[in-house]
Amino acid sequence: MTTTIEQLVAQMTLAEKAALVTGDSNWTTTAVSRLGIPSLLVSDGPHGIRRLPDVHAIVQKSLPATCFPTASGLAASWDVDLLYEVGEALATEAIAQEVDLILGPGVNMKRTPLCGRNFEYFAEDPYLAGKLAASLINGIQGRGVGTSLKHFAANNQEFERFSIDAQIDERTLREIYLSAFETAVKQAQPWSVMCAYNKINGVHGSQHRQLLTDILKTEWGYHGFVVSDWGAVHDRVAALEAGLDLEMPGPKPRRTEAVIEAVKNGTLDVAVLDEAVGRILRLVFKAAETPKGGQQFDADAHHALARRAAAAGMVLLKNDGVLPLQAPQRIAVIGRAAQVPHFQGGGSSHVNPTQVDNPLAELQKLAGDAAVTYAPGYPADDSFEPSLIDEAVSQAKAADVALLYLALPSSIESEGYDRTNLDLTPAQVALIQAVTAVQPQTVVILNNGSAITMSDWLDGAAAVLEAWLMGQAGGGAIADILFGRTNPSGKLAETYPLKLSDTPAHLNFPGENGVVRYGEGLFIGYRYYDAREMPVLFAFGHGLSYTSFAYSNPQLSATTFLDKDGLTVSVAVTNTGQMAGQEVVQVYVHDQVSRLVRPYKELKGFAKVALQPGETKTVTIPLDFRAFAYFDPAHGQWVTEDGDVDILIGASATDIRHTVTATLESSLDLPPTLHAESTLNDWFTDRRGWQAIEPLMQKLRDEASGLFGGDDEDGPAIGMEMLRFMLDMPLVSILHFQESVLTQAPEEMVEDLLRQVYAAHEAED
Ligand code: BGC
C-alpha cells in the first residue's frame, strides 16, 4: 500500500515539519531520510539553467548551460509554440544537471522601461505575458521539471526592491499586475510561485495573506507551493499563516525554532504548518518521478534552437530598404558588441553559456567575398574616445554599408538597480551620429533588455534592428536576419516612447520615503499612450518584415453573443510580398460604453502565422468572457455589461486594419450596490433602484415646488438643468430639501427603499 502525503505528514515530528518549510541550503529543500523524503534541488533562472556546483554557494560559476534569449527577446517572438520548445530544452538541461525546479519565469509588468530587470520580464501587457509564460511553463513541466512563477506580485522596479511599498488600487492590481499570474496559474499550474520582496499596499509579499491565500490558492485554485524570494521573509510564522509554504534559502535554525515554539504555545495552528508541508511534499515526490542526471543534453541542438529563438524575437524597427543586405562588397562592422557580444543580463539569471557566437565571425561566414573591416567605435569602459570614433568614421566612409553593433552596458541595466534614463551612452550616440553623417547605408543593431529612446539619431539610420539580450546564439541570429536567411517576424511587447517624460509612471517613479504610488492606475504601456492620444517612437506590437501582409474578410462568429459563450474572430492574411514570412495578428477589444473608465483598447488575442509569397491563410482567434470583462471593485468580481464592443484587428497597437462590432449580452445579474449615500444617478441606473424610487419621483414631480423648478402648464416641473444638478446628489440630501411634502424622515425613507431593493434582489435569486 502506498503512503499518501497526508499519512506522511502525520508521521512527521513537529521538528521535522518545521525544518521542511525552510531550505536546507541555498538551493535545496530539507530531506527527511527517516521517512524517505528526498530534497528538491532548485536553480535559476528563466532563460537558462544556473546550476551552481556547490549548493551552499550563493554566487559561483555555474555549470555550462544554454543561454537562450532573455524574456524580452522571447516575448517579442509572440510565438507560444517556440516558448514551449524552449521550455522543453530548459527541462532537458535541468534533468541533465539534476535540477528539479527552475526559478522562473517572471511575469511582472513593464510598468516603466526604467526597471533594471525588465529584460527578465515579458511585456507591458498582462494578456501577452500570461500566455507566453503559460506556454513556457507547460513546456518545462511537461518533461517533469518544476517552475517558479515570479515575483508575486508588483515587483516592477529594482529601486528599494526589498522594502518598497507599491500602493496600487484593487482594480489595477487585478487587471494589470495579477492578470498574467492568473493566466499562468490557471493554464499551467506552475509547481511553485515565488513571492515578491516588496510590499503591496503596506504588506510584504511574503506575508500577504490576501495575495498568497485568498486570491492565489483559494480563488485561482492553485495546487503548488509558494516559495519566498531569496531572503524575502521577515516573520516566519506570520508568513506561514499568510500562505508562504517554503522559505529560501536555508538553513535557518532560528526560523525553525520560531515555528516549533509558535505551534507549542498555540499561536500557530499546526494545521497551517501541515498544509504547507503537504504542498511542498506533493512536489518533492512529483519531482522524484522524473529521474535526474545520467544523460548529457545535446548542446549543439540547443544552441541551434537558441539561434532560432533569438532570430524569432528580433524586431526590425526601421528599414528604408537597406535590409536584407544585397551582397555588398565592402562592409564596415563597427561597435564593440560585434566582438564582445552582450547577450544576457546581470544578476540571478546569469548563465554560464555552453558556447557564444561572435557576431562579427558569424557575419563573415555569410558575407561571401565581401571585404569586412572592424572598428570597436567605443572603449570597453564605454567612455568617450574620439580617436575610436574617427577610426570608425573612416572605415564607414570607405564601405558600401556600415553595421553598428551597440549594447547597453550592464552597469546601466541589470537586476539590482534601475536605469536613470532611456538613452544609449553618450559615446554610442556620438558614434551613430558620426557614422551616419558619412554613411547613409547604416544599420544599427541593438542589445538591450528594454525600450530605449532614439530621437537623437534615428533619422540618420537606414535601418534599426532590436536584437535584445539575445542569448548565446544571438550573433548568428543577427547575421541570419541581416542577410535575409531569416525574415524578421518579431514585434514589440513593449512601447518605445519618444522620451522618458512621456512614459506612464514618470510622475510616480521610483517613489520616495519607502512608498511608490501607482498613480497611473490601469494606464501602463499602450493603454496610457492611447488614453493620452500621444505619439510614440515605436508602438506596442510593431515590427517590420522583408515581406508585406494584407488583412481581409474579418468575420465574427456572431453579431450578438452571450458573454460566457465568447466570440470567435477570424481574418484572412495574405503574404503580398516576395519572401516567405510570418505575421503576428493582434486582436484588441474596445468597449463602447462602460460604467467604469476603461483603457481604449486591450489585447485579448493574437496568433503568429507563417505564409509563403502569395499565400493566404485564415487566422481564427477565440475571445472568452474575460476578453470583455473588467474587475469591478464595487462587486469584487469580473463583470461584463450589455452593449456594443468593437473588435480591432491589427498588425500593431497603432496599425489597426479592421474593426468589427458585436453586441454583448451580459449573463450577470449583479447584486445592487446601493447604500444610504447613493446618488440619484445611482438609483436611476440600478434596475431595482429605479423601480423602487419611481413612485417617489412621481410624488416629488407632482407635489414639490420651489427648488425643483418653476411651475409650467403641466404643473410643478423638474427641469433638465435641475435634474442634472440633482443627479450627483445623494437621494437622502435631495429629500432633505423636500421634507415638507414627505411623510417620513428622509433617512427612514431611504432605508425603506434600500430594504425594498435588497428584498427584490433576494426574491429574484
Ligand atoms: C531574485 C530571484 C532569484 C533568487 C535566487 C533573488 O534575488 O529576485 O529572481 O530566483 O534571487 O537566485
Side-chain angles (χ1 to χ4, degrees):
M1 209 182 72
T2 51
T3 317
T4 65
I5 296 295
E6 288 69 27
Q7 287 165 335
L8 204 51
V9 176
Q11 289 168 30
M12 292 173 76
T13 64
L14 176 57
E16 285 167 342
K17 292 191 274 194
L20 194 108
V21 296
T22 300
D24 188 36
S25 73
N26 280 319
W27 310 105
T28 50
T29 64
T30 307
V32 186
S33 49
R34 180 180 78 85
L35 296 169
I37 298 172
S39 74
L40 196 73
L41 196 151
V42 306
S43 179
D44 282 304
H47 48 263
I49 309 298
R50 187 174 70 105
R51 163 80 152 94
L52 305 194
D54 176 3
V55 293
H56 299 287
I58 196 91
V59 183
Q60 189 184 34
K61 187 164 188 176
S62 52
L63 301 179
T66 309
C67 180
F68 291 95
T70 77
S72 299
L74 289 176
S77 74
W78 292 61
D79 187 340
V80 287
D81 297 334
L82 177 71
L83 271 96
Y84 190 92
E85 224 181 308
V86 170
E88 288 183 319
L90 288 170
T92 302
E93 297 197 16
I95 290 169
Q97 302 193 350
E98 301 182 342
V99 170
D100 296 305
L101 186 147
I102 300 169
L103 300 172
V107 287
N108 296 104
M109 286 293 98
K110 302 193 191 204
R111 174 178 177 240
T112 164
L114 292 176
C115 174
R117 221 175 165 180
N118 273 1
F119 71 90
E120 271 190 74
Y121 302 140
F122 291 109
E124 68 183 25
D125 179 86
Y127 179 84
L128 180 58
K131 286 286 176 193
L132 295 172
S135 195
L136 185 75
I137 293 168
N138 282 327
I140 297 171
Q141 295 192 169
R143 296 219 162 155
V145 173
T147 59
S148 200
L149 183 67
K150 64 194 188 183
H151 308 88
F152 190 59
N155 183 176
N156 308 302
Q157 65 185 60
E158 294 300 280
F159 175 76
E160 296 183 357
R161 69 170 164 155
F162 279 73
S163 57
I164 195 90
D165 180 12
Q167 294 199 351
I168 315 176
D169 68 87
E170 188 186 4
R171 183 172 171 214
T172 299
L173 193 60
R174 289 290 197 151
E175 291 188 22
I176 304 294
Y177 295 102
L178 297 188
S179 210
F181 287 95
E182 182 180 1
T183 303
V185 163
K186 289 182 174 170
Q187 297 183 6
Q189 283 288 341
W191 290 12
S192 67
V193 169
M194 187 189 292
C195 80
Y197 285 126
N198 50 282
K199 301 188 195 87
I200 305 98
N201 295 328
V203 182
H204 276 109
S206 58
Q207 287 171 216
H208 211 293
R209 194 189 158 79
Q210 187 204 10
L211 285 183
L212 305 186
T213 296
D214 301 347
I215 295 180
L216 175 66
K217 293 181 178 174
T218 308
E219 197 183 308
W220 297 348
Y222 178 58
H223 309 311
F225 64 86
V226 178
V227 58
S228 70
D229 198 345
W230 268 228
V233 173
H234 300 270
D235 177 331
R236 185 64 191 102
V237 174
L240 265 173
E241 277 173 335
L244 184 118
D245 304 300
L246 175 65
E247 172 173 10
M248 287 298 284
K252 288 181 188 284
R254 273 188 286 269
R255 300 287 211 215
T256 311
E257 272 311 309
V259 172
I260 294 172
E261 185 53 32
V263 172
K264 282 191 178 155
N265 71 23
T267 46
L268 177 68
D269 186 346
V270 74
V272 172
L273 180 59
D274 287 353
E275 158 88 12
V277 170
R279 281 180 179 264
I280 298 166
L281 286 186
R282 260 187 287 283
L283 276 316
V284 165
F285 284 102
K286 193 172 173 70
E289 288 168 16
T290 304
K292 309 283 168 8
Q295 274 185 340
Q296 283 305 304
F297 60 89
D298 185 341
D300 288 339
H302 287 187
H303 187 75
L305 172 60
R307 181 167 179 154
R308 186 152 55 82
M314 289 184 186
V315 182
L316 183 60
L317 293 171
K318 175 182 176 179
N319 184 17
D320 70 3
V322 64
L323 296 180
L325 296 173
Q326 304 297 328
Q329 289 310 298
R330 294 163 305 172
I331 304 175
V333 172
I334 297 164
R336 188 161 291 277
Q339 272 287 30
V340 189
H342 182 47
F343 59 93
Q344 62 174 327
S348 60
S349 69
H350 198 87
V351 176
N352 174 17
T354 57
Q355 53 177 299
V356 181
D357 278 1
N358 177 299
L360 175 57
E362 294 301 323
L363 186 96
Q364 277 168 322
K365 284 185 200 164
L366 301 187
D369 296 337
V372 179
T373 58
Y374 171 69
Y378 55 98
D381 66 0
D382 291 288
S383 62
F384 200 83
E385 182 53 68
S387 65
L388 292 183
I389 296 184
D390 293 345
E391 179 195 18
V393 166
S394 66
Q395 291 189 9
K397 225 192 266 181
D400 302 324
V401 60
L403 306 176
L404 264 173
Y405 288 72
L406 302 172
L408 199 62
S410 44
S411 57
I412 291 182
E413 183 184 35
S414 167
E415 177 179 345
Y417 41 87
D418 293 319
R419 289 198 276 168
T420 52
N421 62 58
L422 298 181
D423 307 323
L424 292 174
T425 67
Q428 291 169 343
V429 172
L431 178 66
I432 304 176
Q433 287 169 337
V435 168
T436 54
V438 298
Q439 178 50 270
Q441 300 287 80
T442 296
V443 181
V444 176
I445 300 132
L446 297 165
N447 292 123
N448 49 282
S450 185
I452 58 167
T453 48
M454 305 180 187
S455 306
D456 290 341
W457 54 264
L458 183 62
D459 286 348
V464 180
L465 179 67
E466 177 54 84
W468 309 109
L469 298 181
M470 57 199 179
Q472 65 180 47
I478 292 173
D480 289 341
I481 288 185
L482 296 181
F483 282 103
R485 282 184 19 148
T486 300
N487 191 347
S489 64
K491 298 219 183 191
L492 292 177
E494 60 200 276
T495 308
Y496 275 44
L498 283 165
K499 54 186 189 299
L500 176 61
S501 57
D502 285 352
T503 58
H506 188 60
L507 300 180
N508 292 289
F509 181 85
E512 53 197 12
N513 285 337
V515 171
V516 56
R517 210 170 60 81
Y518 282 36
E520 71 287 351
L522 302 168
F523 298 94
I524 68 163
Y526 65 89
R527 289 163 170 81
Y528 178 79
Y529 301 107
D530 273 355
R532 299 291 313 272
E533 299 181 350
M534 236 184 208
V536 297
L537 184 61
F538 296 113
F540 176 82
H542 165 79
L544 303 173
S545 166
Y546 295 150
T547 188
S548 50
F549 302 98
Y551 291 52
S552 60
N553 195 24
Q555 298 285 340
L556 294 178
S557 54
T559 47
T560 298
F561 69 104
L562 195 60
D563 54 4
K564 57 187 180 192
D565 294 342
L567 194 64
T568 300
V569 45
S570 64
V571 67
V573 185
T574 305
N575 182 342
T576 49
Q578 305 302 318
M579 195 189 269
Q582 295 182 74
E583 171 68 330
V584 177
V585 178
Q586 301 157 44
V587 172
Y588 300 86
V589 172
H590 164 69
D591 190 4
Q592 289 191 2
V593 186
S594 116
R595 195 179 77 80
L596 301 188
V597 67
R598 297 192 71 175
Y600 177 77
K601 66 173 182 293
E602 297 187 276
L603 183 78
K604 296 298 173 184
F606 64 91
K608 191 162 188 173
V609 58
L611 294 163
Q612 293 300 319
E615 191 184 9
T616 299
K617 279 185 191 161
T618 296
V619 171
T620 303
I621 295 169
L623 299 170
D624 60 10
F625 173 91
R626 280 289 287 275
F628 305 100
Y630 63 87
F631 191 87
D632 189 344
H635 292 287
Q637 71 176 77
W638 293 90
V639 304
T640 53
E641 294 167 333
D642 292 340
D644 287 350
V645 287
D646 295 328
I647 313 297
L648 282 51
I649 305 166
S652 85
T654 56
D655 183 7
I656 301 301
R657 304 289 179 88
H658 294 282
T659 299
V660 276
T661 303
T663 305
L664 181 145
E665 284 175 0
S666 179
S667 59
L668 302 175
D669 185 19
L670 297 168
T673 54
L674 293 170
H675 52 82
E677 271 209 312
S678 288
T679 63
L680 188 59
N681 191 42
D682 295 335
W683 285 88
F684 279 166
T685 47
D686 183 293
R687 175 171 57 83
R688 300 177 199 88
W690 168 240
Q691 281 163 8
I693 64 166
E694 209 183 351
L696 176 65
M697 287 296 107
Q698 193 59 43
K699 180 178 163 71
L700 291 184
R701 197 192 125 88
D702 293 346
E703 296 175 25
S705 61
L707 265 173
F708 290 110
D711 292 353
D712 58 23
E713 59 256 31
D714 299 326
I718 302 178
M720 269 318 282
E721 279 169 25
M722 186 49 73
L723 186 63
R724 289 198 59 190
F725 187 93
M726 290 192 305
L727 275 178
D728 286 333
M729 288 170 67
L731 178 63
V732 70
S733 307
I734 296 170
L735 296 180
H736 265 289
F737 288 103
Q738 296 302 324
E739 281 222 54
S740 56
V741 299
L742 302 180
T743 53
Q744 258 178 311
E747 284 76 12
E748 283 172 23
M749 285 195 80
V750 171
E751 260 176 47
D752 278 353
L753 290 166
L754 285 171
R755 261 193 292 277
Q756 278 178 47
V757 166
Y758 284 89
H761 168 64
E762 265 168 38
E764 283 173 23
D765 253 9

